Amino acid sequence: MQKFKDIGLKLTPQRLAILDFLDGNTDHPSAEEIYRAVSVQFPTMSFATVYNTLDSLREKGHIIELTIDPAKKRFDPCTDMHHHLICTLCKRIQDVHIPFSLDLPEQVKGDFTLTGNHIEFYGICPACRSGHQS
Ligand code: ZN
Ligand code: MN
């Protein structure tokens, strides 16, 4: 929570509830999912509040916007470099916190200084494999 303090927006109770929901969340929720979860506590909260809070958090580098799921943007409060394992059926996204030693050949890299990488692993999650997709 402390790391989210400087979000460049007034910290209303609604916004604090959004931050609280995101803090330590490893489900990679979409804006709609965040809205649904926080609406339980704040039924009058608008979707715009969720949207502009996420936008501000992203701008400040507190969350990462994932474009893994073509259907909807997903958000990740874990900003440490990590990779993702994605279920191609239910689009569940699981963190992969294993460092991979990757480099690019000089002729590809050119004048670029590499600062990171992001690997997407694809598969079928246990729930989908057993036919119990929620
Ligand atoms: Zn699945
Ligand atoms: Mn992640």
Side-chain angles (χ1 to χ4, degrees):
M1 268 304 253
Q2 198 57 30
K3 66 168 187 162
F4 289 150
K5 244 182 90 184
D6 169 35
I7 72 162
L9 291 169
K10 195 174 161 229
L11 284 177
T12 60
Q14 285 92 334
R15 287 212 174 95
L16 281 170
I18 294 168
L19 302 188
D20 197 38
F21 179 75
L22 284 170
D23 190 30
N25 191 317
T26 57
D27 291 340
H28 308 89
S30 66
E32 289 78 9
E33 282 157 356
I34 296 163
Y35 176 65
R36 234 180 290 136
V38 179
S39 287
V40 175
Q41 204 185 339
F42 295 98
T44 60
M45 181 183 67
S46 72
F47 185 71
T49 299
V50 174
Y51 194 83
N52 64 37
T53 303
L54 289 172
D55 215 41
S56 193
L57 284 167
R58 185 186 46 74
E59 261 175 40
K60 298 271 178 189
H62 295 314
I63 59 171
I64 295 168
E65 187 179 279
L66 298 174
T67 50
I68 288 171
D69 184 350
K72 56 197 171 180
K73 282 175 194 162
R74 308 271 292 259
F75 296 89
D76 194 342
C78 177
T79 56
D80 300 338
M81 196 186 292
H82 65 288
H83 310 288
H84 291 105
L85 173 58
I86 303 135
C87 175
T88 54
L89 295 180
C90 71
K91 310 300 178 197
R92 166 180 161 185
I93 301 174
Q94 195 173 305
D95 286 331
V96 177
H97 286 285
I98 299 171
F100 294 92
S101 174
L102 290 171
D103 202 0
L104 286 172
E106 288 300 331
Q107 66 266 32
V108 175
K109 191 155 60 174
D111 289 335
F112 264 80
T113 301
L114 294 187
T115 55
N117 55 57
H118 175 224
I119 308 170
E120 296 178 6
F121 294 89
Y122 306 103
I124 313 287
C125 78
C128 288
R129 212 176 43 230
S130 64
H132 294 301
Q133 194 191 343
S134 56

PDB file of all heavy atoms in Angstrom, residues 117-129:
ATOM      1  N   ASN A 117      13.174  -8.219 -20.546  1.00  0.00           N
ATOM      2  CA  ASN A 117      12.437  -9.070 -21.471  1.00  0.00           C
ATOM      3  C   ASN A 117      11.194  -9.581 -20.766  1.00  0.00           C
ATOM      4  O   ASN A 117      11.068  -9.485 -19.545  1.00  0.00           O
ATOM      5  CB  ASN A 117      13.314 -10.232 -21.964  1.00  0.00           C
ATOM      6  CG  ASN A 117      13.910 -11.045 -20.830  1.00  0.00           C
ATOM      7  OD1 ASN A 117      13.190 -11.567 -19.988  1.00  0.00           O
ATOM      8  ND2 ASN A 117      15.236 -11.140 -20.796  1.00  0.00           N
ATOM      9  N   HIS A 118      10.280 -10.074 -21.535  1.00  0.00           N
ATOM     10  CA  HIS A 118       9.038 -10.615 -20.988  1.00  0.00           C
ATOM     11  C   HIS A 118       8.652 -11.828 -21.806  1.00  0.00           C
ATOM     12  O   HIS A 118       8.417 -11.717 -23.005  1.00  0.00           O
ATOM     13  CB  HIS A 118       7.935  -9.552 -21.030  1.00  0.00           C
ATOM     14  CG  HIS A 118       6.604 -10.078 -20.601  1.00  0.00           C
ATOM     15  ND1 HIS A 118       5.444  -9.786 -21.277  1.00  0.00           N
ATOM     16  CD2 HIS A 118       6.252 -10.884 -19.581  1.00  0.00           C
ATOM     17  CE1 HIS A 118       4.436 -10.396 -20.677  1.00  0.00           C
ATOM     18  NE2 HIS A 118       4.894 -11.066 -19.649  1.00  0.00           N
ATOM     19  N   ILE A 119       8.628 -12.977 -21.157  1.00  0.00           N
ATOM     20  CA  ILE A 119       8.300 -14.201 -21.872  1.00  0.00           C
ATOM     21  C   ILE A 119       6.880 -14.619 -21.543  1.00  0.00           C
ATOM     22  O   ILE A 119       6.472 -14.634 -20.375  1.00  0.00           O
ATOM     23  CB  ILE A 119       9.278 -15.351 -21.499  1.00  0.00           C
ATOM     24  CG1 ILE A 119      10.727 -14.887 -21.679  1.00  0.00           C
ATOM     25  CG2 ILE A 119       8.988 -16.583 -22.347  1.00  0.00           C
ATOM     26  CD1 ILE A 119      11.745 -15.851 -21.109  1.00  0.00           C
ATOM     27  N   GLU A 120       6.104 -14.950 -22.581  1.00  0.00           N
ATOM     28  CA  GLU A 120       4.754 -15.466 -22.383  1.00  0.00           C
ATOM     29  C   GLU A 120       4.779 -16.957 -22.679  1.00  0.00           C
ATOM     30  O   GLU A 120       5.080 -17.366 -23.798  1.00  0.00           O
ATOM     31  CB  GLU A 120       3.779 -14.767 -23.335  1.00  0.00           C
ATOM     32  CG  GLU A 120       3.642 -13.278 -23.075  1.00  0.00           C
ATOM     33  CD  GLU A 120       2.708 -12.587 -24.070  1.00  0.00           C
ATOM     34  OE1 GLU A 120       2.070 -13.279 -24.888  1.00  0.00           O
ATOM     35  OE2 GLU A 120       2.622 -11.355 -24.022  1.00  0.00           O
ATOM     36  N   PHE A 121       4.441 -17.748 -21.672  1.00  0.00           N
ATOM     37  CA  PHE A 121       4.314 -19.192 -21.854  1.00  0.00           C
ATOM     38  C   PHE A 121       2.832 -19.495 -22.000  1.00  0.00           C
ATOM     39  O   PHE A 121       2.014 -18.907 -21.304  1.00  0.00           O
ATOM     40  CB  PHE A 121       4.861 -19.946 -20.629  1.00  0.00           C
ATOM     41  CG  PHE A 121       6.346 -19.784 -20.429  1.00  0.00           C
ATOM     42  CD1 PHE A 121       6.842 -18.735 -19.669  1.00  0.00           C
ATOM     43  CD2 PHE A 121       7.238 -20.686 -20.991  1.00  0.00           C
ATOM     44  CE1 PHE A 121       8.210 -18.576 -19.481  1.00  0.00           C
ATOM     45  CE2 PHE A 121       8.604 -20.532 -20.799  1.00  0.00           C
ATOM     46  CZ  PHE A 121       9.095 -19.478 -20.052  1.00  0.00           C
ATOM     47  N   TYR A 122       2.474 -20.367 -22.901  1.00  0.00           N
ATOM     48  CA  TYR A 122       1.070 -20.706 -23.114  1.00  0.00           C
ATOM     49  C   TYR A 122       0.806 -22.152 -22.737  1.00  0.00           C
ATOM     50  O   TYR A 122       1.668 -23.013 -22.874  1.00  0.00           O
ATOM     51  CB  TYR A 122       0.691 -20.484 -24.582  1.00  0.00           C
ATOM     52  CG  TYR A 122       1.006 -19.098 -25.063  1.00  0.00           C
ATOM     53  CD1 TYR A 122       2.119 -18.852 -25.859  1.00  0.00           C
ATOM     54  CD2 TYR A 122       0.214 -18.014 -24.681  1.00  0.00           C
ATOM     55  CE1 TYR A 122       2.429 -17.567 -26.277  1.00  0.00           C
ATOM     56  CE2 TYR A 122       0.514 -16.728 -25.089  1.00  0.00           C
ATOM     57  CZ  TYR A 122       1.626 -16.508 -25.893  1.00  0.00           C
ATOM     58  OH  TYR A 122       1.934 -15.238 -26.302  1.00  0.00           O
ATOM     59  N   GLY A 123      -0.389 -22.399 -22.266  1.00  0.00           N
ATOM     60  CA  GLY A 123      -0.751 -23.762 -21.904  1.00  0.00           C
ATOM     61  C   GLY A 123      -2.212 -23.850 -21.538  1.00  0.00           C
ATOM     62  O   GLY A 123      -2.994 -22.928 -21.776  1.00  0.00           O
ATOM     63  N   ILE A 124      -2.585 -24.990 -20.976  1.00  0.00           N
ATOM     64  CA  ILE A 124      -3.951 -25.223 -20.521  1.00  0.00           C
ATOM     65  C   ILE A 124      -3.868 -25.416 -19.002  1.00  0.00           C
ATOM     66  O   ILE A 124      -3.117 -26.274 -18.536  1.00  0.00           O
ATOM     67  CB  ILE A 124      -4.565 -26.506 -21.151  1.00  0.00           C
ATOM     68  CG1 ILE A 124      -4.322 -26.548 -22.672  1.00  0.00           C
ATOM     69  CG2 ILE A 124      -6.042 -26.627 -20.817  1.00  0.00           C
ATOM     70  CD1 ILE A 124      -5.136 -25.604 -23.490  1.00  0.00           C
ATOM     71  N   CYS A 125      -4.618 -24.629 -18.253  1.00  0.00           N
ATOM     72  CA  CYS A 125      -4.546 -24.696 -16.792  1.00  0.00           C
ATOM     73  C   CYS A 125      -5.252 -25.975 -16.297  1.00  0.00           C
ATOM     74  O   CYS A 125      -6.041 -26.578 -17.032  1.00  0.00           O
ATOM     75  CB  CYS A 125      -5.150 -23.443 -16.167  1.00  0.00           C
ATOM     76  SG  CYS A 125      -6.945 -23.406 -16.134  1.00  0.00           S
ATOM     77  N   PRO A 126      -4.964 -26.404 -15.074  1.00  0.00           N
ATOM     78  CA  PRO A 126      -5.571 -27.632 -14.556  1.00  0.00           C
ATOM     79  C   PRO A 126      -7.092 -27.610 -14.582  1.00  0.00           C
ATOM     80  O   PRO A 126      -7.729 -28.607 -14.928  1.00  0.00           O
ATOM     81  CB  PRO A 126      -5.064 -27.701 -13.109  1.00  0.00           C
ATOM     82  CG  PRO A 126      -3.851 -26.854 -13.081  1.00  0.00           C
ATOM     83  CD  PRO A 126      -4.047 -25.786 -14.112  1.00  0.00           C
ATOM     84  N   ALA A 127      -7.706 -26.458 -14.257  1.00  0.00           N
ATOM     85  CA  ALA A 127      -9.174 -26.372 -14.235  1.00  0.00           C
ATOM     86  C   ALA A 127      -9.752 -26.613 -15.621  1.00  0.00           C
ATOM     87  O   ALA A 127     -10.741 -27.326 -15.782  1.00  0.00           O
ATOM     88  CB  ALA A 127      -9.603 -25.006 -13.693  1.00  0.00           C
ATOM     89  N   CYS A 128      -9.137 -26.005 -16.640  1.00  0.00           N
ATOM     90  CA  CYS A 128      -9.631 -26.186 -18.005  1.00  0.00           C
ATOM     91  C   CYS A 128      -9.384 -27.606 -18.498  1.00  0.00           C
ATOM     92  O   CYS A 128     -10.215 -28.163 -19.218  1.00  0.00           O
ATOM     93  CB  CYS A 128      -8.958 -25.183 -18.957  1.00  0.00           C
ATOM     94  SG  CYS A 128      -9.533 -23.503 -18.714  1.00  0.00           S
ATOM     95  N   ARG A 129      -8.251 -28.168 -18.095  1.00  0.00           N
ATOM     96  CA  ARG A 129      -7.913 -29.513 -18.554  1.00  0.00           C
ATOM     97  C   ARG A 129      -8.903 -30.531 -18.023  1.00  0.00           C
ATOM     98  O   ARG A 129      -9.259 -31.496 -18.688  1.00  0.00           O
ATOM     99  CB  ARG A 129      -6.488 -29.865 -18.138  1.00  0.00           C
ATOM    100  CG  ARG A 129      -5.778 -30.784 -19.116  1.00  0.00           C
ATOM    101  CD  ARG A 129      -4.340 -31.031 -18.705  1.00  0.00           C
ATOM    102  NE  ARG A 129      -4.215 -31.274 -17.307  1.00  0.00           N
ATOM    103  CZ  ARG A 129      -3.346 -30.646 -16.509  1.00  0.00           C
ATOM    104  NH1 ARG A 129      -2.556 -29.731 -17.003  1.00  0.00           N
ATOM    105  NH2 ARG A 129      -3.294 -30.922 -15.230  1.00  0.00           N
TER     106      ARG A 129
END
